[in-house]
């Protein structure tokens, strides 16, 4: 092995690659890790150092890196078909994937429209909602509603329904205005309130807006159960039940962004199952391909589909992406769904989650921690009196303890792949505590 290979890769990347969600100057002091390979829950650099991927590489990797079953499916697909346009053509992987996903909703959401990334799926849902109302003769329904602290992506339409100033403010002049309502974040509970009480207060805020402007509102978009990018803000499923009722009453579409929280992340395959409801549009990405290839999709109901079904081409949904329904990505998704079925993943995740929650008890009871919370395979807690550079220092210190973790502000979270061994769980818990104590000690 070349003695300077690790540092050479870093220099070359910093010279030529503009990294996402990064102030590049920070890499003068924050390490950049060139990954050589991945195996299971671990990533390895060129010097052989390993890092437990405790955030599933931005929430995408469900069954580990270089998963042999997904690898095998992709190798087989490579010899059959790498890509064909989905306009005027179709293929087996996209058909089977659409059928299987629809079946998981009891065929309530029986139509799938494909793209490549989560933000594109949000754009599709927003456009479909707007256009379907116009096709039905209700062109005045043009407004969108989002939750305080919401995040739905970085493209222009998705940013318009995002309420995180760090991502949105610089582009304000480019964005269409949206309405913002109270978040059901359970951390807002006052003395004597439960998470369900907060959910009712937040739903009442939606009702006030719908009564006032329902005839102008096309849709409300919600990240169900966990608002991830705002700091893993968790809410009671009752909120979704109440908002579904309000949407039905006021003729407003419900868009659920399950890009981060779908695919078993919250304990059920779709997060909204825990509320006993289905939306009008459901956005999926990230974990749907097992973390292998870019893939996103919007699932919707037959009445939405029928609003576009016409001999008039201008009434059609003419949105398109070159790699829509890519066969390789769809085949990775089919392999992912097969693992869910074969390995009884949701059932085993409940056992795995209980063990990790128990292992994290020292952090849950830590005197510098508040709002320790868990939903399915997501854990989070907020640091008390965290230093201004807490997130960056935590990331760097975590690497020294064989952990890949990226706090959101002063919120530490874990979203690991669904394959952690007992040893992985114990190590993750112990090392997170060690990192937390070291960062707070300065």
């Amino acid at each position: 092995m070349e003695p300077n290979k690790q540092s050479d890769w870093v220099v070359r990347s910093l010279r030529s690659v503009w990294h996402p969600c990064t102030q590049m100057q920070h890499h003068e002091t924050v390490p950049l890790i060139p990954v050589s390979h991945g195996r299971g829950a671990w990533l390895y650099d060129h010097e052989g150092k390993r890092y437990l991927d405790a955030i599933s590489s931005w929430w995408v990797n469900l069954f580990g890196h270089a998963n042999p079953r997904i690898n095998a499916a992709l190798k087989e697909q490579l010899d059959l078909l790498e890509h064909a346009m989905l306009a005027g053509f179709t293929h087996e992987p996209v058909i089977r994937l659409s059928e299987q996903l629809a079946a998981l909703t009891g065929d309530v959401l029986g139509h799938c429209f494909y793209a490549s990334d989560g933000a594109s799926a949000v754009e599709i849902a927003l456009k479909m909602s707007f256009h379907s109302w116009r096709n039905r003769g209700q062109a005045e329904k043009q407004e969108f509603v989002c939750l305080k602290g919401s995040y739905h992506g970085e493209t222009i339409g998705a940013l318009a329904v995002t309420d995180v100033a760090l991502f949105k403010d610089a582009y304000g002049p480019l964005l269409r205005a949206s309405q913002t309502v109270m978040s059901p974040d359970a951390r807002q509970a006052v003395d004597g309130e439960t998470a369900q009480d907060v959910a009712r207060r937040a739903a009442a805020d939606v009702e006030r807006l719908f009564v006032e402007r329902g005839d102008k509102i096309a849709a409300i978009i919600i990240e169900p159960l966990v608002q991830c990018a705002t700091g893993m803000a968790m809410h009671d499923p009752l909120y979704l039940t109440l908002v579904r009722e309000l949407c039905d009453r006021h003729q407003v579409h419900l868009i659920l962004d399950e890009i981060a929280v779908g695919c078993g992340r919250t304990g059920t395959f779709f997060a909204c199952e825990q509320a006993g409801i289905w939306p009008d549009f459901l956005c999926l990405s990230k974990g749907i391909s097992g973390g292998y290839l870019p893939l996103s999709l919007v699932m919707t109901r037959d009445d939405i589909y029928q609003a576009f079904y016409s001999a008039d081409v201008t009434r059609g949904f003419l949105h398109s992406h070159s790699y829509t329904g890519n066969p390789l990505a769809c085949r990775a998704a089919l392999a992912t769904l097969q693992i869910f079925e074969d390995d009884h993943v949701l059932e085993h995740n409940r056992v795995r989650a209980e063990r990790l929650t128990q292992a994290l008890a020292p952090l849950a009871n830590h005197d510098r921690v508040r709002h320790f919370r868990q939903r399915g395979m997501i854990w989070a807690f907020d640091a008390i009196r965290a230093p201004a550079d807490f997130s960056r220092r935590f990331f760097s210190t975590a690497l020294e303890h064989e952990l890949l973790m990226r706090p959101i502000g002063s919120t530490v979270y874990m979203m690991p792949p669904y394959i952690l061994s007992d040893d992985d769980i114990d190590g993750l818990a112990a090392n997170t505590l060690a990192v937390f104590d070291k960062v707070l000690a300065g």
Side-chain angles (χ1 to χ4, degrees):
M1 180 180 292
E2 299 174 19
N4 297 320
K5 190 171 185 181
Q6 177 95 340
S7 58
D8 285 350
W9 285 122
V10 172
V11 170
R12 289 169 63 180
S13 187
L14 292 176
R15 185 170 59 231
S16 59
V17 180
W18 198 335
H19 293 267
C21 200
T22 300
Q23 170 48 266
M24 291 299 293
Q25 190 186 57
H26 290 170
H27 277 307
E28 293 180 5
T29 56
V30 176
L32 182 68
I33 307 299
V35 176
S36 167
H37 62 282
R39 289 292 182 275
W42 297 87
L43 293 168
Y44 296 82
D45 67 18
H46 289 271
E47 294 178 345
K49 295 177 183 176
R50 66 176 191 166
Y51 310 92
L52 181 67
D53 192 353
I55 58 172
S56 298
S57 290
W58 257 347
W59 322 341
V60 302
N61 188 284
L62 301 190
F63 301 119
H65 301 281
N67 182 284
R69 283 180 279 181
I70 303 177
N71 286 0
L74 286 174
K75 289 173 182 176
E76 182 180 62
Q77 185 62 42
L78 277 169
D79 287 330
L80 296 173
L81 177 66
E82 80 298 336
H83 184 66
M85 62 186 292
L86 206 60
F89 288 82
T90 193
H91 52 77
E92 181 181 346
V94 77
I95 296 168
R96 290 175 54 210
L97 179 59
S98 303
E99 290 173 342
Q100 290 184 28
L101 288 171
L104 290 174
T105 72
D107 292 315
V108 174
L109 303 176
H111 301 275
C112 295
F113 195 102
Y114 289 84
S116 300
D117 57 83
S120 295
V122 170
E123 299 278 345
I124 288 165
L126 296 174
K127 288 176 66 177
M128 274 188 178
S129 175
F130 169 88
H131 197 167
S132 67
W133 288 122
R134 189 183 76 168
N135 281 354
R136 288 171 169 164
Q138 294 177 266
E140 69 282 0
K141 294 176 77 67
Q142 300 183 7
E143 298 179 5
F144 295 102
V145 180
C146 64
L147 274 55
K148 184 174 182 181
S150 59
Y151 174 89
H152 298 289
E154 307 287 355
T155 50
I156 296 301
L159 267 183
V161 289
T162 286
D163 186 49
V164 179
L166 179 65
F167 301 121
K168 183 176 182 178
D169 283 1
Y171 310 103
L174 300 177
L175 305 178
R176 182 184 179 92
S178 60
Q179 303 285 339
T180 305
V181 292
M182 172 186 168
S183 167
D185 181 357
R187 292 175 295 179
Q188 299 173 110
V190 298
D191 289 345
E193 266 195 326
T194 66
Q196 287 201 343
D197 293 329
V198 178
R200 290 188 182 93
R201 279 201 287 125
D205 195 38
V206 175
E207 183 172 24
R208 283 190 290 271
L209 180 63
F210 282 8
V211 168
E212 177 187 346
R213 304 189 63 81
D215 59 338
K216 297 179 175 63
I217 295 171
I220 181 171
I221 183 168
I222 298 169
E223 214 176 356
L225 302 186
V226 188
Q227 292 178 260
C228 293
T230 195
M232 301 299 160
M234 300 186 184
H235 60 258
D236 192 275
L238 175 64
Y239 178 72
L240 303 175
T241 306
L242 295 174
V243 173
R244 174 73 272 181
E245 293 171 354
L246 290 170
C247 287
D248 291 341
R249 191 184 316 158
H250 294 275
Q251 284 196 297
V252 172
H253 289 147
L254 175 59
I255 301 172
L256 291 186
D257 174 354
E258 296 220 8
I259 291 161
V261 299
C263 301
R265 184 55 71 178
T266 65
T268 48
F269 189 84
F270 298 109
C272 62
E273 292 179 69
Q274 296 178 48
I277 61 104
W278 295 111
D280 301 292
F281 304 91
L282 192 149
C283 303
L284 281 181
S285 189
K286 291 192 181 290
I288 188 59
S289 72
Y292 267 69
L293 288 164
L295 180 68
S296 68
L297 60 112
V298 177
M299 304 178 69
T300 193
R301 297 171 180 262
D302 190 60
D303 64 317
I304 303 291
Y305 177 81
Q306 293 299 330
F308 294 89
Y309 201 84
S310 170
D312 182 355
V313 69
T314 66
R315 291 176 62 88
F317 190 66
L318 305 183
H319 187 104
S320 63
H321 296 271
S322 299
Y323 283 92
T324 293
N326 173 259
L328 289 168
C330 290
R331 189 68 184 274
L334 286 166
T336 298
L337 293 182
Q338 192 64 51
I339 293 173
F340 268 100
E341 181 178 348
D342 291 347
D343 292 4
H344 306 288
V345 169
L346 297 177
E347 178 184 340
H348 289 151
N349 273 358
R350 286 193 284 273
V351 177
R352 193 173 283 115
E354 183 178 352
R355 180 179 171 88
L356 182 51
T357 299
Q358 291 173 351
L360 291 170
L363 273 165
N365 299 315
H366 199 289
D367 61 3
R368 295 287 294 276
V369 165
R370 62 182 170 186
H371 300 307
F372 181 90
R373 52 202 183 273
Q374 176 256 336
R375 172 74 68 172
M377 291 292 286
I378 305 174
W379 292 260
F381 59 87
D382 304 328
I384 298 173
R385 301 188 307 278
D389 60 349
F390 175 81
S391 179
R392 272 185 282 156
R393 284 173 54 193
F394 195 103
F395 170 74
S396 300
T397 306
L399 293 176
E400 298 169 5
H401 289 73
E402 295 190 333
L403 290 181
L404 169 55
M405 298 180 73
R406 286 173 59 101
I408 302 170
S410 60
T411 296
V412 179
Y413 75 91
M414 284 159 264
M415 293 178 69
Y418 305 161
I419 59 166
L420 295 187
S421 68
D422 288 348
D423 287 344
D424 291 337
I425 288 172
D426 293 341
L428 173 57
N431 285 326
T432 302
L433 176 60
V435 172
F436 186 68
D437 282 338
K438 185 173 181 179
V439 171
L440 291 185

